[in-house]
């Protein structure tokens, strides 16, 4: 109710040691799924993906900044191309260089309705992972549930 998250248990438990996350840094944060839902709602309402949100996943706090880059041809139609910049602000792993941990990470998302009567969702997401290199996630199907 006061927009201050309380971590009762994190599953799976964190295996790496991290810098502490001050309570002040978590105030007003949302979880990752809520952040995606907020983005989808904004795109559905405005046709753009501009905004900021602070995310807390029980381990670290990350700032997300999103901006529209334009509409592009995508598969059989068009999609809004959004650039997302993520930046860890608290809770980075102790074994990582703090300058590297704070460096913004770019993500590109293409958002559109996957079919008639369906809301806009990320159809494709591309990012560069610090651990795995390039990562691409592509939506392969969607349907409206009764």
């Amino acid at each position: 109710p006061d927009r201050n998250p309380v971590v009762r248990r994190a599953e799976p438990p964190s295996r790496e040691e991290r810098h502490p996350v001050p309570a002040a840094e978590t105030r007003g944060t949302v979880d990752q799924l809520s952040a995606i839902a907020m983005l989808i709602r904004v795109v559905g309402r405005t046709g753009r993906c501009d905004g900021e949100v602070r995310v807390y996943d029980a381990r670290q706090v990350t700032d997300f900044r999103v901006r529209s880059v334009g509409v592009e041809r995508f598969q059989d139609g068009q999609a809004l191309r959004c650039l997302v910049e993520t930046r860890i602000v608290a809770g980075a792993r102790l074994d990582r260089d703090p300058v590297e941990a704070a460096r913004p990470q770019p993500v590109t998302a293409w958002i559109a309705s996957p079919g008639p009567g369906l809301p806009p969702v990320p159809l494709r997401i591309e990012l560069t992972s610090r651990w795995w290199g390039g990562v691409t996630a592509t939506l392969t199907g969607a349907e409206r549930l009764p």
Side-chain angles (χ1 to χ4, degrees):
D2 61 2
R3 295 196 42 107
N4 292 320
V6 176
V7 178
R8 289 182 173 66
R9 183 175 70 194
E11 292 292 336
S14 184
R15 293 190 183 120
E16 58 274 326
E17 292 189 42
R18 295 178 170 274
H19 291 280
V21 176
E25 293 291 349
T26 68
R27 197 165 290 119
T29 59
V30 299
D31 61 274
Q32 292 173 341
L33 184 58
S34 295
I36 293 169
M38 290 165 62
L39 175 61
I40 289 169
R41 204 171 313 125
V42 166
V43 170
R45 192 175 61 243
T46 68
R48 298 189 54 81
C49 53
D50 303 308
E52 297 180 18
V53 67
R54 183 166 275 198
V55 171
Y56 180 48
D57 67 1
R59 291 174 173 80
Q60 65 187 22
V61 177
T62 307
D63 279 344
F64 284 74
R65 290 192 174 92
V66 187
R67 65 182 171 92
S68 302
V69 200
V71 176
E72 295 181 357
R73 183 154 186 75
F74 190 86
Q75 295 173 349
D76 295 332
Q78 293 185 326
L80 177 63
R81 183 176 179 191
C82 304
L83 291 184
V84 182
E85 183 181 272
T86 66
R87 187 176 63 84
I88 298 170
V89 295
R93 291 174 28 180
L94 290 176
D95 63 351
R96 290 187 53 200
D97 173 31
V99 173
E100 173 65 20
R103 186 172 55 88
Q105 294 294 301
V107 178
T108 303
W110 287 265
I111 300 176
S113 170
L118 296 173
V121 296
L123 301 179
R124 181 180 179 103
I125 298 172
E126 294 179 355
L127 60 101
T128 301
S129 166
R130 291 179 170 109
W131 303 278
W132 305 301
V135 176
T136 300
T138 303
L139 181 68
T140 59
E143 62 184 70
R144 181 177 290 284
L145 296 176

